[in-house]
Amino acid sequence: METVRADVAIIGAGGAGLRAAIALAEADPKLRVALISKVYPMRSHTCAAEGGAAGVIKSDDSLEHHFNDTVGGGDWLCDQDAVEYLVQEAPKELIQLEHWGCPWSREPNGSVAVRPFGGMKKQRTWFAADKSGFHILHTLFQTSLRFPSIERYDEYYATDLIVDDGRCQGFTAIEMRSGQMKRFQAGAVIIAGGGAGRMFPFTTNGAIKTGDGMALAYRAGVPLKDMEFVQYHPTGLPNTGTLLTEACRGEGGILVNKNGRRFLQDYGMGPETPLGKPVFKTMELGPRDRVSQAFWHEQKKGNMLPTKWGDCMLLDMRHLGEKTINERLPLVRDVTTSYLGVDPVTDPVPVRPVVHYMMGGIHTDIRAATPLAGLFAAGECACVSINGANRLGSNSLTELLVFGRRAGLSAAEYVRSARPGNDAALEAKATAAQARIRSLFEKTGGKESTAGLRKEMMATMEQNAGIYRDANGLSEACTKLGELRHRYAEVELNDKTNVYNTDLLQALELGSMLDCAEAVTVSALARTESRGAHQRLDFVERNDTKFLRHSLAFHHPAQPPRVDYCDVVITTSQPGVRDYSGDHK
C-alpha cells in the first residue's frame, strides 16, 4: 500500500477545509498539507449556500447583538465562549475574504451591503447576490492555489482513521480513479467533511453529504454531540427539495397559506405589517425552527395548498419587482423557473420545509480539537457548539471560516510537538482497514442491496425523526435502524471492478449515514423535552433543569450508541424566553 506523508492531512475541501489549509500554509510554509476530497473542491457543498455570511459591520449593530441573537436563537444550548469567539472573529474573516477577492454586494455609497436574516434583530448578513457560497468557495479555492505547501488529492474517499498510541495519526483512503487504497500518515488530521442530510429523503443537501467525516470520528471513539437537532429550512422547492434562500424573505418576500393569509402572526412571530414598510417585524424573518413548525401546524389545520408534490405554502415575491429580483435574487429566479416552471416575478412559488442542516456533529472544543489527540474538526461536520438547538441563517458560512482557520492554527500548533508514530503499527492498522474494504468485494450471495436499505432508512427518518417527534416513533426508528445496521453486513456489491466503483462508494456512504441516523434517533429519544429544532409532542416544554446539556452519542459496533451528556458553557446569557413577537429596531 502506498503511503502519503504529510504534517497535516485535511479530509474535505469545501469552505472549512480550504480555510484550514490556508491557515496552515500561512502559519508555517514548511508544513506539508494534504487536502483530500471526494469531489473536486469547487463541487463541495459550500457552493450551494445562497444567502450570505453573518458579521457585524454596520454602526447600528454590535458584537453583543450578534451574540444575543445567536444564543437566543439556539435556545440557550450554544456554548457561549464559542459564540463570543465566533462573533469577534467574523468581521475579520469576511474582510479577509474581500481582500482575497470575494465580490460582496455593495450599497450605493460603496460600502458592503448587508441584508436581514431570520432570527437576527439587525441587518448583518454579507452577501454576493444569492450566490454567496459559490463566491466564498471560489475565493478560498483560488487563494489556496498560491501555496505550494498545499497538495490536493481530489476524488479520494477516506475510509478509516488510523489511531495508535492514543493519537490520530492518519487515515486510509480510496483513490476513485484507480480503486487503490492509500495510507495518509500525518501528525494531525482535520475533518471538514460536511453534514449528513442525505439520510433523509427530502433535503436541500447534495448527494455528497452523507456524514462520512462524522462517521470516521464516531467509529474511532469520538462522540457525536447534539445529533438530535436537525434543522428544517422552511422554503424548499416541493418537487426537488432545492433551497430557496432565506434571502428571499430577507429582501421582503412573504409566506401565505392557501387563503392568502400571512399565517406566521398566529405563531408568536409578530403582527402583520404593510408590505415594504421599513420596520423589522419578525414574521417571515422568524428563526427557521419556528417557521418550519408553523408549516406543520397549518397543515394540521388544513390551511396548506395541495399540490401534486404534497401540501405547500406560497412564497410571494411579486411585490419586490423584477429589478430587485434580478439584482438580489437572480439564482432564485433561475431555479424556480427551471425546476418548477414558476417565475417569482409574476407568480407566488410553492414551498415546503426541507431538511437542511445538522446542528450536531463531531464533539470539539473552542480550539476545534476533538477528545482524540491529533484529530480536529470544523464546519457542519463539527459541533463546537455555536448553533445550539437551532442555527440562525448565515451563521454557518461564518462558522466554517472562523473555525476552519482555528482548526488549521490548532493543528499547526499540535504538530510542532507531536512525536513520530510507530510506522509498523500504523501500517498494520492500514492493512486491516484495507482488508475490510476487500471483504466487500469477496462477498457473494448477499441478501441486501445498498439502494434497498437506503430507501428504508430514509423512510424511517422521514416518518419518525421529522419536525415533530414522540417516543413511539423514535423507539420504532431506533429499532428499525438497528435492524438495518445488522442487515447492512449482508450487502453485496454488484460491481467488482476497481475504477470509479460508485457501487462501492455508495455502500460505504450508506454505512456512514446509518451510523449518523442511529445517533440522531437514540439521542432524540433520550432528550425528553422540546428545544429548538427538537420538538417532542409528548414533552412539549423546554426542561433546563435536566437538559441544559449537550448529548454525546458514543459508537458501539454491535449495539445502539450510548448517550451521555456534558454541560453547556454559559458566560453571560442565562436561559430565557425566545420572543419574536415585537419590533426589532
Side-chain angles (χ1 to χ4, degrees):
M1 185 189 309
E2 180 184 347
T3 298
V4 177
R5 300 180 189 275
D7 294 298
V8 181
I10 303 170
I11 300 172
L18 285 168
R19 186 64 188 92
I22 294 168
L24 281 160
E26 290 184 325
D28 187 349
K30 296 180 182 178
L31 290 176
R32 296 165 298 169
V33 180
L35 185 59
I36 292 89
S37 176
K38 71 176 182 180
V39 293
Y40 188 72
M42 279 306 297
R43 291 179 181 152
S44 300
H45 208 264
T46 302
C47 73
E50 298 170 10
V56 173
I57 193 66
K58 298 298 185 181
S59 60
D60 67 339
D61 200 2
S62 69
L63 300 182
E64 182 181 8
H65 285 319
H66 194 180
F67 172 87
N68 288 333
D69 287 349
T70 299
V71 171
D75 225 345
W76 279 272
L77 201 70
C78 311
D79 283 336
Q80 294 178 21
D81 58 343
V83 177
E84 289 171 357
Y85 182 75
L86 174 87
V87 303
Q88 289 167 6
E89 296 298 311
K92 304 173 191 175
E93 285 297 307
L94 299 178
I95 291 170
Q96 178 64 78
L97 270 183
E98 179 173 45
H99 292 173
W100 285 336
C102 186
W104 298 118
S105 294
R106 321 299 292 194
E107 301 286 6
N109 65 4
S111 63
V112 170
V114 291
R115 61 174 35 138
F117 247 60
M120 294 194 180
K121 298 179 177 67
K122 299 290 183 180
Q123 296 190 54
R124 68 172 62 95
T125 298
W126 302 43
F127 62 97
D130 58 354
K131 303 175 184 178
S132 304
F134 171 83
H135 288 298
I136 289 172
L137 187 63
H138 206 120
T139 300
L140 291 171
F141 180 59
Q142 287 184 317
T143 302
S144 73
L145 299 178
R146 292 166 38 194
F147 300 100
S149 59
I150 301 173
E151 186 168 358
R152 293 208 329 269
Y153 296 84
D154 299 339
E155 297 188 327
Y156 279 69
Y157 184 90
T159 66
D160 297 87
L161 295 181
I162 299 176
V163 180
D164 187 57
D165 190 28
R167 296 178 290 145
C168 181
Q169 301 184 52
F171 53 88
T172 52
I174 300 169
E175 181 185 33
M176 297 181 192
R177 180 177 60 183
S178 65
Q180 299 303 304
M181 182 82 82
K182 294 190 180 183
R183 172 165 69 100
F184 287 82
Q185 185 168 328
V189 172
I190 299 172
I191 298 179
R198 296 300 294 193
M199 70 176 80
F200 288 84
F202 193 67
T203 174
T204 65
N205 292 185
I208 62 174
K209 294 189 70 173
T210 53
D212 311 301
M214 293 181 186
L216 282 173
Y218 185 47
R219 292 192 290 257
V222 178
L224 295 181
K225 181 164 69 181
D226 292 342
M227 288 293 283
E228 61 267 42
F229 297 101
V230 178
Q231 181 170 81
Y232 276 74
H233 195 293
T235 55
L237 290 187
N239 56 342
T240 63
T242 305
L243 173 69
L244 294 189
T245 172
E246 200 160 290
C248 296
R249 290 168 281 138
E251 295 294 340
I254 62 171
L255 289 167
V256 298
N257 61 22
K258 71 177 184 181
N259 303 314
R261 176 177 172 77
R262 291 176 70 185
F263 57 94
L264 292 174
Q265 61 188 302
D266 300 332
Y267 300 96
M269 282 176 270
E272 182 176 338
T273 54
L275 296 182
K277 186 177 181 181
V279 175
F280 288 100
K281 298 279 186 177
T282 302
M283 287 296 283
E284 284 78 12
L285 290 177
R288 291 172 179 175
D289 58 339
R290 295 280 181 88
V291 178
S292 295
Q293 290 154 22
F295 274 60
W296 186 90
H297 288 289
E298 286 292 288
Q299 185 177 39
K300 296 299 180 185
K301 295 176 182 177
N303 289 337
M304 293 185 80
L305 181 73
T307 74
K308 63 181 178 181
W309 306 289
D311 290 342
C312 297
M313 290 299 186
L314 292 173
L315 175 59
D316 194 347
M317 296 174 276
R318 292 174 294 177
H319 54 281
L320 301 182
E322 186 170 14
K323 182 176 183 293
T324 296
I325 290 174
N326 285 342
E327 287 180 357
R328 299 292 188 106
L329 303 167
L331 180 62
V332 166
R333 186 179 189 187
D334 183 46
V335 165
T336 59
T337 304
S338 298
Y339 293 105
L340 201 61
V342 176
D343 187 343
V345 171
T346 58
D347 295 287
V349 182
V351 293
R352 54 165 281 196
V354 53
V355 168
H356 183 58
Y357 188 88
M358 306 287 297
M359 268 73 74
I362 301 166
H363 177 33
T364 71
D365 62 18
I366 196 172
R367 298 178 58 257
T370 75
L372 176 60
L375 182 65
F376 303 84
E380 189 179 354
C381 71
C383 184
V384 180
S385 153
I386 64 107
N387 296 310
N390 171 66
R391 176 176 71 81
L392 295 190
S394 74
N395 266 349
S396 60
L397 289 175
T398 304
E399 179 187 6
L400 62 82
L401 294 168
V402 170
F403 287 97
R405 175 178 178 271
R406 180 67 261 176
L409 296 178
S410 296
E413 180 182 351
Y414 176 85
V415 297
R416 292 188 187 108
S417 58
R419 59 188 183 277
N422 183 312
D423 202 59
L426 299 180
E427 182 65 29
K429 302 255 177 150
T431 300
Q434 185 179 41
R436 180 178 74 88
I437 303 301
R438 283 180 174 167
S439 68
L440 295 174
F441 286 90
E442 296 165 358
K443 190 176 298 179
T444 57
K447 302 175 183 177
E448 304 290 349
S449 70
T450 298
L453 293 182
R454 184 174 59 225
K455 184 176 181 180
E456 291 186 50
M457 173 194 67
M458 288 178 169
T460 297
M461 297 302 288
E462 177 83 353
Q463 181 176 346
N464 299 306
I467 295 175
Y468 280 92
R469 305 155 173 184
D470 60 29
N472 290 336
L474 290 169
S475 296
E476 179 182 321
C478 291
T479 300
K480 181 65 174 181
L481 290 168
E483 172 200 320
L484 294 177
R485 176 164 41 81
H486 290 294
R487 289 167 56 193
Y488 176 68
E490 300 299 319
V491 168
E492 179 183 354
L493 299 180
N494 295 313
D495 184 354
K496 305 295 177 93
T497 63
N498 286 327
V499 177
Y500 281 111
N501 189 332
T502 56
D503 193 18
L504 169 64
L505 297 176
Q506 288 174 4
L508 295 174
E509 288 173 335
L510 174 61
S512 297
M513 288 189 287
L514 285 171
D515 282 340
C516 292
E518 200 166 25
V520 168
T521 55
V522 171
S523 299
L525 181 61
R527 185 175 287 273
T528 52
E529 67 158 356
S530 290
R531 184 186 299 269
H534 172 70
Q535 293 292 308
R536 292 283 297 260
L537 292 170
D538 45 355
F539 295 94
V540 297
E541 300 296 329
R542 195 178 79 190
N543 184 344
D544 290 334
T545 302
K546 186 175 181 180
F547 287 110
L548 190 61
R549 298 186 296 168
H550 299 296
S551 64
L552 299 171
F554 291 85
H555 180 261
H556 190 286
Q559 297 176 11
R562 171 177 64 87
V563 177
D564 203 347
Y565 295 90
C566 66
D567 291 335
V568 172
V569 177
I570 295 178
T571 58
T572 60
S573 179
Q574 296 300 316
V577 177
R578 297 173 69 197
D579 182 14
Y580 297 100
S581 61
D583 288 324
H584 303 316
K585 297 181 180 178

